Amino acid sequence: MKVAKNIMRSAMLSTISVASLGLGTVAYAQDQAPAEDEAENPYEEEIIVTATKREQTLQDVPVAVSVTTAAAIERAQVRDLKDLQTLVPSLRVSQLQSSASTDFIIRGFGNGSNNVGIEGSVGVFIDGVYRSRSASAISDLPNLQRVEVLRGPQSTLFGKNASAGVISIVTSEPKYEFGGSAEISYGNYNAIVAKADVTGPITDQIAFSLAGGINKRDGYATNLTDGSKTSERNRWFGRAQLLIEPSDSVKFRIIGDYDKIDENCCYVGNIFDGPTGNAIRAVGGRINSNGIFSYSEFQNFASENKITNGGVSMQADFDIGAMKLTSITAYRESRAKTNADSDFTSADLIGQNRGNVGIKTKTQELRLTSDFDGPFNFLIGGYYFDEDITNQQALTLGRDFRNYADLLSRNPATPTVPGAYVALEPTIRFLAGLPAATPTTQFGAAGQGRFEDWDYKNKAYSIFGTADFEITEGLTLTGGFNYTKDKKNVASNTTSTDVFSRIDLVQVGVAAGVPATLAANPTFNPFLGLRALQFQTPFLNFPNAVETGRTRDGKLTYSARLAWEATDNLNFYVSYGTGFKATSWNISFDSRPFVADFIAGSPAQVPAPATSPIRTAGLALPNLTSGTRYALPEEATVKEIGLKAKWQRVAFNLTLFDQSIKNFQGNSFIGTGFVLTNAGKQSTKGIEFDATVNPVDALQLRTSFTYLDPKYDSYVASAFGDLSGLTPAGIPKLSATWGATYTAEVGGGTELIFSTDYYYQSKTTINDNPVYRIYKREVSDLSASATLRLENGLQFSLWGRNLTGAKYLTTIFPSVVQSGSVSGYPNQPRTYGVSAKFKF
């Protein structure tokens, strides 16, 4: 009840604040501004969206959707999807350790980075084509028409993985009138963004468009080891389109695109220099202790991020009387090659952390939409998805790891005496039955490590549809459904050459004379104190005699909505919906057999480990532990009440919602790897509000906010213990934007446009680990621009982002192989620059 009262109170206050801004309203999203080619009186224009796969005005579409136009994106100097969150408070985008690792989160729900086996709970679609992984969805945004952010489960309209929401990017079609634009921008850090596009007719029935651009910038962080820069930008793209209309009832749109990223990314700073810091310095390494906001670090080699994306698609539309048949066919390829000094120090602890991921995706959507004059209309469709992924990873020990591990294993009382890792190596090898060490086989030798080779195949199909029935004038009942069938086959070929990680220290203890009944107890078996250094243990590959490497999921989801057009200015709706995301596989070295298949323990201990299928089949390996191979499917539900209001100069939208996901798929980093688990249930209650006010033609005021009350209703088996009842980390209670645009007529068709946007996130914890809940994030980001637009198509702009120079943490995590230390990612510092654009 308390939450409901807070929500209602916020709703009332927000409505009062809008009323105080001016009289009368317009139907714009919170980030809508007049586009460059709009009519003289922009407030009479309607925003057309396709959130329900029908063309409707933003005012009429009865769903929770935010629309950001190309003009708004240009005004705010949004470079890619990561910047878009400053305009859409319900959206959060986090970039992690590489250019290919990005999380998209809506209303506090989202995942998908750091493991290619995990598809995002937020689906990303570009011109109707699904981008299954973040590496294929982060490229620059060319020829934009708008970006629609649909909040809440969207499974009944989108065929694949939309349990938390959808980001739908819509680009401009080719035009039959010759035209185009060219733009160049220069900013601090030697940032250069250049884009150009051209469109025009080939014949009366065929039009084309071509676009291309580059996005380059020096790094804003410094590697103190050699003075090189990191967190740079080095990207380019090309895109070609054909629009073929052989008749008034047939249209084909063909798109081909290719983009490439080759950059040193991403800066990681030290937040807390823990007890391992002295050992790193003792082997000659350096750490920029507690210096995350100095934007400087020590690394012994530069990171590598080479990503290519490309594909072709064709949308075919056939008007068949009062119905339209639409087909969208696409083929895409994505490849990401990465390498990083993952210990983020100048010591060579982790030698290499290489990745080579290849993704090939084929999709086909077919849908039939009616446009009858009567009270009944429908949409029925089918979707097919076929994806192959190859994933090769390698993590090797560096030349300093052996000495580092020895220092960690020393007795604090006698710090000059070699530690057990080195001093006891001959004894341990003898007791374990290993031959004498050589330079390449000694414990912790450089080049030892884990080498992974994964093959992942996913085929899925779905049937979906909606039906609208107008009960009476202005009152419409809508029902929707989706049935999805998802099949995944996964195979691993992974090896570990880490000699020490293969040794059964319980067996060593027994061989040294520790009673077998006590050998599994660290109090009586001193060798077990070295277990923390065994983080690359032998890997049980699958499929095997026990584990099939297959999952088969199927789910029917549905939605119901009642929409009421109360007046020409007021629309109300109430809805209930469900969503689904299929099983996600842990395609990494951290994948482990389920407890049902294997009970861990040493065969040398007494009593012996309980019988389990893997042990019975003779597949048990030294130091094999149990965990998860995959996370169960997500099942989402949402209840919403919405209001959309539009008058001449003011518009506002209000949504109250209660959303939850059962079996939410969480992927948590614990310092030496990731743990993939299911939360029993995660829920969020909240309110979303956005408004635009135009007190006079020249001035637009806009505001929006999202209030969230998230909770882990049940999360017993998280990587950090039982989190049930706690607030999920990284989800602010309040996210808000305020903005204004003023357009002054200078004379002779020349305009001077001033615009500013302020983005705020309330203070929140950053990591679910209870140890790290002392670290908070609060976001305060101001951007602004001034543009001189001439009648001849030329325009010149000054712009800036994060103008106040705010500094805050975006993500934190335990430092790699440095127990007790904390690392993290800071926000991007202040950026500013000038740009020139010519439209013809």
Side-chain angles (χ1 to χ4, degrees):
M1 287 299 295
K2 181 179 179 181
V3 171
K5 288 180 180 178
N6 287 339
I7 290 175
M8 291 305 300
R9 180 175 180 271
S10 298
M12 293 172 64
L13 289 174
S14 63
T15 307
I16 293 169
S17 65
V18 171
S20 68
L21 292 175
L23 300 174
T25 54
V26 244
Y28 290 141
Q30 85 272 0
D31 41 29
Q32 171 63 13
E36 293 171 331
D37 56 354
E38 286 181 344
E40 182 178 351
N41 185 356
Y43 312 118
E44 295 179 354
E45 296 295 308
E46 298 280 11
I47 305 170
I48 303 299
V49 297
T50 53
T52 59
K53 297 199 172 179
R54 298 173 182 270
E55 289 191 351
Q56 293 177 279
T57 67
L58 179 62
Q59 168 71 11
D60 293 335
V61 63
V63 298
V65 55
S66 299
V67 181
T68 309
T69 65
I73 286 173
E74 179 181 319
R75 183 182 67 233
Q77 290 295 309
V78 169
R79 298 303 191 196
D80 54 32
L81 286 179
K82 186 168 72 71
D83 297 330
L84 188 63
Q85 62 188 323
T86 59
L87 298 178
V88 183
S90 289
L91 174 67
R92 189 163 64 83
V93 185
S94 299
Q95 184 166 335
L96 304 177
Q97 78 273 16
S98 76
S99 300
S101 297
T102 305
D103 271 339
F104 301 107
I105 299 169
I106 294 177
R107 292 178 172 173
F109 298 102
N111 48 32
S113 66
N114 291 312
N115 193 320
V116 73
I118 305 174
E119 295 172 278
S121 299
V122 175
V124 178
F125 293 78
I126 300 180
D127 290 322
V129 177
Y130 177 54
R131 303 292 181 95
S132 66
R133 299 299 188 279
S134 62
S136 64
I138 59 173
S139 53
D140 291 333
L141 308 176
N143 292 91
L144 266 180
Q145 185 173 336
R146 64 184 180 274
V147 178
E148 302 174 8
V149 178
L150 287 74
R151 310 186 294 268
Q154 306 294 329
S155 295
T156 60
L157 289 170
F158 293 84
K160 184 71 172 171
N161 291 352
S163 58
V166 162
I167 300 171
S168 178
I169 299 170
V170 182
T171 67
S172 299
E173 290 185 351
K175 295 179 174 59
Y176 287 97
E177 181 179 350
F178 183 75
S181 67
E183 176 185 2
I184 187 166
S185 174
Y186 181 80
N188 59 332
Y189 304 108
N190 288 319
I192 298 175
V193 175
K195 297 180 182 181
D197 64 90
V198 62
T199 186
I202 297 176
T203 70
D204 291 343
Q205 297 175 324
I206 302 175
F208 79 96
S209 68
L210 298 172
I214 61 169
N215 184 349
K216 299 175 68 70
R217 185 195 67 207
D218 292 344
Y220 58 75
T222 303
N223 180 358
L224 297 174
T225 304
D226 58 9
S228 61
K229 297 296 183 179
T230 185
S231 286
E232 65 182 10
R233 276 285 189 267
N234 186 17
R235 306 177 176 191
W236 65 267
F237 73 88
R239 183 178 173 92
Q241 294 190 70
L242 278 178
L243 182 65
I244 305 172
E245 297 181 281
S247 69
D248 292 341
S249 60
V250 178
K251 180 172 75 172
F252 300 94
R253 184 185 182 190
I254 302 170
I255 304 173
D257 67 273
Y258 184 83
D259 60 81
K260 186 173 183 179
I261 297 173
D262 185 0
E263 56 196 29
N264 182 353
C265 183
C266 303
Y267 165 67
V268 171
N270 179 265
I271 298 172
F272 178 70
D273 187 0
T276 57
N278 288 334
I280 288 172
R281 284 179 279 274
V283 298
R286 300 182 68 186
I287 306 171
N288 186 16
S289 299
N290 313 321
I292 186 166
F293 291 120
S294 69
Y295 294 93
S296 56
E297 62 184 342
F298 287 97
Q299 288 186 302
N300 51 295
F301 66 89
S303 66
E304 175 185 342
N305 295 269
K306 295 183 178 181
I307 304 167
T308 57
N309 290 299
V312 293
S313 67
M314 182 181 75
Q315 177 170 333
D317 294 300
F318 304 92
D319 290 331
I320 309 169
M323 294 186 292
K324 176 184 283 188
L325 179 65
T326 298
S327 170
I328 302 177
T329 306
Y331 175 79
R332 300 201 60 80
E333 289 191 8
S334 177
R335 181 161 294 278
K337 294 183 179 181
T338 60
N339 191 19
D341 179 16
S342 293
D343 57 72
F344 307 112
T345 73
S346 64
D348 190 16
L349 307 182
I350 301 298
Q352 301 286 319
N353 187 6
R354 289 192 173 276
N356 188 347
V357 178
I359 305 174
K360 297 180 179 180
T361 309
K362 299 184 284 288
T363 60
Q364 173 65 55
E365 181 176 348
L366 191 66
R367 66 178 184 263
L368 182 66
T369 308
S370 72
D371 188 18
F372 301 139
D373 291 333
F376 176 76
N377 274 289
F378 71 88
L379 178 152
I380 186 75
Y383 184 81
Y384 176 75
F385 177 87
D386 186 348
E387 185 167 74
D388 290 343
I389 298 177
T390 58
N391 179 28
Q392 298 170 331
Q393 304 286 328
L395 189 146
T396 61
L397 304 179
R399 61 182 180 275
D400 294 327
F401 183 83
R402 176 176 167 85
N403 290 335
Y404 171 70
D406 176 65
L407 288 165
L408 295 181
S409 66
R410 291 187 181 186
N411 187 337
T414 55
T416 60
V417 177
Y421 189 74
V422 171
L424 295 182
E425 179 175 3
T427 301
I428 293 173
R429 298 181 78 97
F430 173 76
L431 295 173
L434 297 178
T438 67
T440 58
T441 64
Q442 64 183 354
F443 293 171
Q448 292 181 18
R450 61 201 195 205
F451 304 88
E452 308 171 48
D453 193 350
W454 296 85
D455 183 68
Y456 170 103
K457 298 182 184 301
N458 180 199
K459 291 186 178 181
Y461 67 84
S462 65
I463 301 171
F464 60 90
T466 61
D468 300 330
F469 181 73
E470 189 173 16
I471 301 171
T472 185
E473 185 176 358
L475 184 64
T476 303
L477 177 66
T478 300
F481 80 96
N482 178 302
Y483 178 76
T484 294
K485 189 72 174 178
D486 187 278
K487 301 178 181 179
K488 292 185 173 74
N489 292 285
V490 182
S492 66
N493 181 18
T494 295
T495 60
S496 173
T497 61
D498 187 324
V499 175
F500 183 66
S501 292
R502 297 202 302 261
I503 295 175
D504 182 349
L505 295 175
V506 173
Q507 182 267 326
V508 168
V510 172
V514 178
T517 55
L518 302 174
N521 188 330
T523 302
F524 300 97
N525 184 352
F527 296 104
L528 296 182
L530 299 173
R531 263 187 173 168
L533 298 170
Q534 294 183 314
F535 57 89
Q536 301 192 107
T537 56
F539 187 87
L540 178 62
N541 286 301
F542 62 91
N544 54 50
V546 176
E547 302 171 293
T548 64
R550 296 185 301 171
T551 52
R552 302 291 185 264
D553 302 320
K555 184 69 177 178
L556 176 67
T557 57
Y558 56 92
S559 64
R561 180 176 62 242
L562 187 64
W564 178 38
E565 186 179 349
T567 70
D568 291 340
N569 307 109
L570 288 172
N571 288 354
F572 298 87
Y573 70 90
V574 58
S575 67
Y576 178 85
T578 63
F580 174 73
K581 188 181 87 165
T583 295
S584 286
W585 280 80
N586 190 349
I587 302 183
S588 77
F589 188 80
D590 310 299
S591 171
R592 295 290 185 270
F594 289 102
V595 173
D597 293 326
F598 182 71
I599 297 176
S602 168
Q605 70 188 51
V606 175
T611 302
S612 57
I614 285 176
R615 201 176 294 277
T616 301
L619 298 174
L621 298 172
N623 301 323
L624 180 64
T625 58
S626 57
T628 63
R629 293 294 195 193
Y630 54 81
L632 297 173
E634 294 182 350
E635 298 181 6
T637 60
V638 64
K639 293 173 284 220
E640 289 184 359
I641 300 175
L643 163 65
K644 293 179 178 244
K646 171 191 175 182
W647 287 272
Q648 183 184 0
R649 290 184 176 275
V650 178
F652 68 88
N653 303 310
L654 177 66
T655 306
L656 282 75
F657 67 89
D658 183 351
Q659 183 172 334
S660 65
I661 295 183
K662 293 181 180 179
N663 296 326
F664 181 76
Q665 298 166 357
N667 193 38
S668 303
F669 185 66
I670 58 173
T672 55
F674 290 87
V675 178
L676 177 61
T677 57
N678 284 111
K681 181 181 178 182
Q682 179 181 337
S683 65
T684 299
K685 296 178 176 67
I687 179 171
E688 296 162 325
F689 175 81
D690 62 75
T692 304
V693 179
N694 300 92
V696 295
D697 286 355
L699 177 63
Q700 181 193 76
L701 306 175
R702 51 192 176 271
T703 184
S704 63
F705 76 77
T706 298
Y707 172 82
L708 301 176
D709 183 29
K711 183 174 69 171
Y712 284 130
D713 300 85
S714 174
Y715 201 174
V716 176
S718 85
F720 312 114
D722 189 355
L723 300 179
S724 302
L726 298 180
T727 300
I731 306 175
K733 286 278 188 183
L734 177 66
S735 299
T737 65
W738 295 270
T741 298
Y742 181 76
T743 303
E745 297 287 346
V746 179
T750 299
E751 295 178 327
L752 189 57
I753 305 167
F754 300 95
S755 184
T756 184
D757 287 283
Y758 177 75
Y759 175 58
Y760 174 76
Q761 283 186 10
S762 61
K763 188 174 291 187
T764 183
T765 56
I766 309 174
N767 191 292
D768 274 332
N769 190 333
V771 175
Y772 297 152
R773 288 189 172 254
I774 61 173
Y775 299 105
K776 311 281 186 179
R777 175 181 66 232
E778 186 174 20
V779 177
S780 179
D781 194 307
L782 177 67
S783 63
S785 65
T787 300
L788 178 66
R789 188 160 65 203
L790 307 180
E791 187 178 23
N792 62 5
L794 269 173
Q795 68 178 51
F796 304 92
S797 299
L798 297 172
W799 57 268
R801 293 181 61 85
N802 188 19
L803 288 173
T804 61
K807 296 180 179 180
Y808 51 87
L809 298 170
T810 62
T811 305
I812 65 172
F813 57 92
S815 301
V816 179
V817 296
Q818 299 165 66
S819 179
S821 292
V822 183
S823 299
Y825 300 93
N827 68 306
Q828 183 172 290
R830 179 190 297 113
T831 56
Y832 51 86
V834 297
S835 64
K837 184 175 183 178
F838 177 62
K839 293 191 69 176
F840 57 90

